[in-house]
Amino acid sequence: MYKSRLRPLSMRIQFIRNSLYSRRQPSQKMEQRYDFNREWKLTSNYEANSLSKIKLLSYNILAQDLLMEHFFLYVNIKQEWLTWRHRLRNIHREIHKLDPDILCLQEMQFDHLPMLVQRLKASSGKRLEYVYKKKTGSRTDGCAIIYDSCKLQLLKEQAVELYDPDVPLLNRENVAILAKFRLKQPTSTEESTKDNNEVIVATTHLLYNPRRADVRCAQVSKLLTELRCFATDATQNATPVILTGDFNSELHTAPMQLLLSQDEDPASINFEALNYGDCTASTLQDEWITVDYILRSVCQQSRRKLEILSVYQLPTINCCAHVGMIPNHYLGSDHYALGAVFALA
């Protein structure tokens, strides 16, 4: 007896639903792949008022002009994934998902900054403003600090040129940007001065050349001098500092050891690097290594201290190797983003 192949309507509807679901699976798998070992880890039981918390993200987003200049580094990546249109979509998606109060960017191309800020405004509903410093000379990228102006009031800013024609080692175009903020709402009803709600955020991008640690040390020395002057007032009281960036140096190297060196003077501003997990990496430089950091200041004469509530853990080296070269279909840069939540204590 001949049997019709036409299925009942209910079965056809279920078949269509299953087909659509199966087609959606690859995108879900891609998101899981992107999220390998990337989770927020609590680091403190400190109970902070929500108004005193600062969620910060630091990200080297790979300037498109630099990508094109060094295109040979990305020949094994699909060209469609390297277009600014594709990368902007992925970078925007990632930042929107992480939803920071302050966003520190390195390799931010000056003519791409307004579009990125516009997209973040539209998707977040936040009133975003920014400060920016382009690299010295003809370079088109630089450092930016984007912030939620509903939560933070910009008190002052300072651009730092890490170029000095009178110092032989300071002959490169790298820069930094420093910004002093005040949390617009007090962290406690008992506070008597607004100074207690202030924090400084700084970001930089040091020289890449692996053979020139001496140049990076000189750049670190100048940055520390500028930061300590910027953070200390006439009474020698220091404002807490969050320093982020692409330092192009591993923790055991001379530039980072200089940055993390501890001065015994109670008035000195020292720095500690946040821990983003064991055997993790932020970028690929022949091998998977970490060169991007978020640091907090430690000073006995600081008005307040920065409590680390949680960190956005970096992926392990094994996970990085599994994901492969970046940028890719989902990640918009050749660096992984760093994140942390602080509280003024």
Side-chain angles (χ1 to χ4, degrees):
M1 180 178 177
Y2 174 78
K3 293 183 179 179
S4 171
R5 295 188 180 184
L6 186 62
R7 300 174 181 174
L9 179 60
S10 61
M11 293 181 64
R12 280 183 281 160
I13 292 173
Q14 185 61 42
F15 175 78
I16 293 171
R17 286 176 176 170
N18 290 341
S19 298
L20 291 173
Y21 178 76
S22 65
R23 290 173 187 171
R24 287 196 298 265
Q25 288 303 303
S27 63
Q28 292 178 352
K29 288 181 180 178
M30 283 193 290
E31 184 157 355
Q32 291 168 2
R33 182 183 179 90
Y34 152 72
D35 280 336
F36 270 155
N37 203 33
R38 301 237 63 187
E39 58 183 10
W40 288 93
K41 181 180 179 181
L42 292 176
T43 58
S44 172
N45 294 323
Y46 179 79
E47 295 184 2
N49 184 311
S50 61
L51 298 176
S52 72
K53 294 181 181 178
I54 302 169
K55 189 177 188 181
L56 180 142
L57 187 69
S58 183
Y59 201 177
N60 180 331
I61 64 169
L62 177 57
Q64 191 68 16
D65 284 350
L66 290 177
L67 185 156
M68 298 305 297
E69 181 181 343
H70 302 97
F71 194 77
F72 63 93
L73 296 174
Y74 308 97
V75 292
N76 294 322
I77 299 175
K78 288 185 179 180
Q79 289 193 20
E80 62 186 277
W81 296 345
L82 298 176
T83 65
W84 175 241
R85 180 178 179 181
H86 183 90
R87 296 201 306 111
L88 175 61
R89 182 170 66 247
N90 289 341
I91 290 168
H92 168 254
R93 181 200 296 118
E94 185 175 10
I95 295 171
H96 174 73
K97 177 182 176 181
L98 295 172
D99 192 29
D101 301 312
I102 300 178
L103 173 61
C104 298
L105 298 175
Q106 304 87 44
E107 288 194 28
M108 181 70 252
Q109 196 165 306
F110 79 96
D111 54 338
H112 290 162
L113 179 57
M115 176 59 73
L116 176 60
V117 173
Q118 181 180 349
R119 288 198 177 197
L120 291 171
K121 281 182 177 180
S123 62
S124 68
K126 293 180 178 178
R127 195 172 68 197
L128 300 177
E129 298 179 10
Y130 62 86
V131 293
Y132 180 73
K133 172 57 181 171
K134 190 176 78 67
K135 283 181 180 174
T136 310
S138 59
R139 293 292 181 182
T140 59
D141 68 295
C143 295
I145 300 175
I146 304 170
Y147 62 97
D148 180 1
S149 62
C150 289
K151 183 169 185 175
L152 297 150
Q153 177 188 357
L154 178 66
L155 300 178
K156 64 175 181 176
E157 62 179 284
Q158 179 180 327
V160 177
E161 299 267 0
L162 299 179
Y163 172 84
D164 187 337
D166 297 325
V167 180
L169 288 177
L170 293 176
N171 62 348
R172 308 305 170 96
E173 67 276 4
N174 303 85
V175 296
I177 184 80
L178 323 179
K180 186 175 184 178
F181 296 101
R182 176 183 293 142
L183 288 164
K184 285 194 171 181
Q185 298 188 34
T187 56
S188 169
T189 55
E190 297 178 359
E191 289 172 353
S192 59
T193 65
K194 292 183 178 180
D195 290 348
N196 289 333
N197 298 322
E198 295 175 0
V199 63
I200 289 170
V201 177
T203 194
T204 190
H205 185 192
L206 302 186
L207 177 71
Y208 164 69
N209 191 331
R211 297 184 298 273
R212 298 308 305 267
D214 55 341
V215 173
R216 286 189 292 279
C217 283
Q219 292 177 338
V220 166
S221 294
K222 180 168 184 179
L223 177 59
L224 285 174
T225 299
E226 297 289 347
L227 258 178
R228 286 164 177 160
C229 181
F230 189 78
T232 307
D233 62 18
T235 62
Q236 295 302 303
N237 286 319
T239 302
V241 179
I242 302 171
L243 173 60
T244 86
D246 176 357
F247 296 87
N248 274 312
S249 308
E250 294 184 87
L251 275 179
H252 65 271
T253 61
M256 292 306 297
Q257 290 300 303
L258 176 60
L259 184 56
L260 297 172
S261 61
Q262 302 295 304
D263 192 322
E264 298 299 327
D265 186 343
S268 293
I269 300 174
N270 298 316
F271 285 95
E272 295 179 349
L274 276 61
N275 184 356
Y276 282 90
D278 297 327
C279 301
T280 57
S282 66
T283 191
L284 180 65
Q285 292 184 2
D286 295 328
E287 58 184 358
W288 288 101
I289 61 173
T290 297
V291 298
D292 304 272
Y293 305 98
I294 298 177
L295 307 97
R296 65 165 177 173
S297 66
V298 178
C299 178
Q300 294 183 31
Q301 294 189 11
S302 179
R303 298 185 182 93
R304 304 286 291 274
K305 71 173 183 176
L306 288 162
E307 191 75 29
I308 308 167
L309 302 184
S310 61
V311 297
Y312 188 48
Q313 289 193 297
L314 283 169
T316 64
I317 292 173
N318 286 340
C319 287
C320 291
H322 184 68
V323 170
M325 293 186 68
I326 51 177
N328 59 19
H329 61 282
Y330 205 88
L331 287 164
S333 177
D334 57 355
H335 287 246
Y336 283 95
L338 280 69
V341 178
F342 296 92
L344 285 172

